Amino acid sequence: MQIGIIGLGAMGSAMAKNLAAAGHEVRAWNRSGDGIEGVTMLDTAAEAFNADAVLTMLSDDEAIRTVVLEPNLLGGARAGLVHVVASTISVAFSQGLVAAHASAGIGYVAAPVLGRPDVAAKGELNILVGGDSQAIDTIRPILEVIGGRIWPMGAEAPTANAAKIACNMMITMAIEAMAEAVVLTEANGLSREEFFALILGTLFGSRSYQVYSANIARSDYRSGFKATLGLKDLRLAREAAGAAGKVLPMLDAVHGRMAEAVEAGFGDQDWSTMAKFTLEN
C-alpha cells in the first residue's frame, strides 16, 4: 500500500518506521525536514496526498488547518484516497473535516490513538476509529500495523475525537487524584512509594496509574507528553462540554492546575508536572 504521512514527531516517526518495516511504500513530509531511514521524504505536503492513503499526525487543529486545508491539499488528492487523522483534535474541527472531505470527494477517518511514543514504537497503540465503514476497511492495513487494538467508535468520525478527549481528561484527573492522595498519606507518615505500592496492587493497576505514579514518586517530570499539549486537550474537553451545555467541575479543576504548570514555565515537561503544584503548595 502506498502511504503518505504528514508529521514526523515522536509518534509519527514511530508509525512511519513500523509501516515501512511492514512492507508498505511510505512517503513522508515533515515541517522540520528531518528524515527517517526506509521512508521516502517529500518536498511538499501536497505530494503526500498522491497515495492510496495519507495519515496526518500534526499537533492540533491549527496545524492541520495551516498544512492541509488552507493550501487545499484535499482538492488535489488522488482519487479514492482516504485521509486518516490520528491527532487529538476538537470535536468541532473534526465535524468541519467531515464536511471538507465530503466536498472534495475523498474519504476521511478519525483515528486518534492512546499510547506514548514507546507504545507507538512497538506498534501497540490503541486506536479509536470513527468514520465511514468502507473508508475504514480501506485503511485497515495501516491500523493493523500501528495498533495493538482497534476500537470502533461508530460511523461518525467526531465520536472518536470526543472519546480521545475524554480519555485524556481522565488521565489528568488520575494524576491529580494521586497527588492529592499523597498529600494526605505523606502528612500522616506513609511514603508515596509505599502508598503507590498499595494502590497499584489493589484498586488502581491501570497503565495511567503505573506510569504517572512513577513520575510522582521520583519527582521526575522531565520528559513525556508535554504539559502544553495536555492543556490544549483539556481546553478541547471544556469546549466539548460547553457545546453539550454541561459544566464539568473536575475538568475545570484539572484545567486550572495544568494551566498553572504551563504558566510557571513547565510547559515542556511531562503533563504529570501538574502534580507538583498540588504537592508543593
Side-chain angles (χ1 to χ4, degrees), residues 116 229 255:
R116 293 158 66 97
L229 295 177
H255 178 272

PDB file of all heavy atoms in Angstrom, residues 116 229 255:
ATOM      1  N   ARG A 116       1.866   6.294  24.421  1.00  0.00           N
ATOM      2  CA  ARG A 116       3.013   7.184  24.336  1.00  0.00           C
ATOM      3  C   ARG A 116       3.971   6.679  23.257  1.00  0.00           C
ATOM      4  O   ARG A 116       3.750   5.618  22.658  1.00  0.00           O
ATOM      5  CB  ARG A 116       3.676   7.260  25.711  1.00  0.00           C
ATOM      6  CG  ARG A 116       2.806   7.948  26.765  1.00  0.00           C
ATOM      7  CD  ARG A 116       3.187   7.560  28.177  1.00  0.00           C
ATOM      8  NE  ARG A 116       4.503   8.025  28.551  1.00  0.00           N
ATOM      9  CZ  ARG A 116       4.750   9.153  29.236  1.00  0.00           C
ATOM     10  NH1 ARG A 116       3.759   9.935  29.604  1.00  0.00           N
ATOM     11  NH2 ARG A 116       5.982   9.493  29.553  1.00  0.00           N
ATOM     12  N   LEU A 229       0.597  20.418  25.562  1.00  0.00           N
ATOM     13  CA  LEU A 229      -0.373  19.626  24.804  1.00  0.00           C
ATOM     14  C   LEU A 229      -1.496  19.130  25.710  1.00  0.00           C
ATOM     15  O   LEU A 229      -2.651  19.057  25.297  1.00  0.00           O
ATOM     16  CB  LEU A 229       0.335  18.452  24.129  1.00  0.00           C
ATOM     17  CG  LEU A 229       1.361  18.827  23.059  1.00  0.00           C
ATOM     18  CD1 LEU A 229       2.060  17.587  22.512  1.00  0.00           C
ATOM     19  CD2 LEU A 229       0.707  19.603  21.922  1.00  0.00           C
ATOM     20  N   HIS A 255      -7.989  21.522  34.572  1.00  0.00           N
ATOM     21  CA  HIS A 255      -7.597  22.529  33.590  1.00  0.00           C
ATOM     22  C   HIS A 255      -6.863  23.674  34.285  1.00  0.00           C
ATOM     23  O   HIS A 255      -5.820  24.148  33.818  1.00  0.00           O
ATOM     24  CB  HIS A 255      -8.819  23.055  32.836  1.00  0.00           C
ATOM     25  CG  HIS A 255      -8.498  24.131  31.835  1.00  0.00           C
ATOM     26  ND1 HIS A 255      -8.466  25.473  32.176  1.00  0.00           N
ATOM     27  CD2 HIS A 255      -8.171  24.069  30.513  1.00  0.00           C
ATOM     28  CE1 HIS A 255      -8.147  26.187  31.113  1.00  0.00           C
ATOM     29  NE2 HIS A 255      -7.961  25.353  30.092  1.00  0.00           N
TER      30      HIS A 255
END
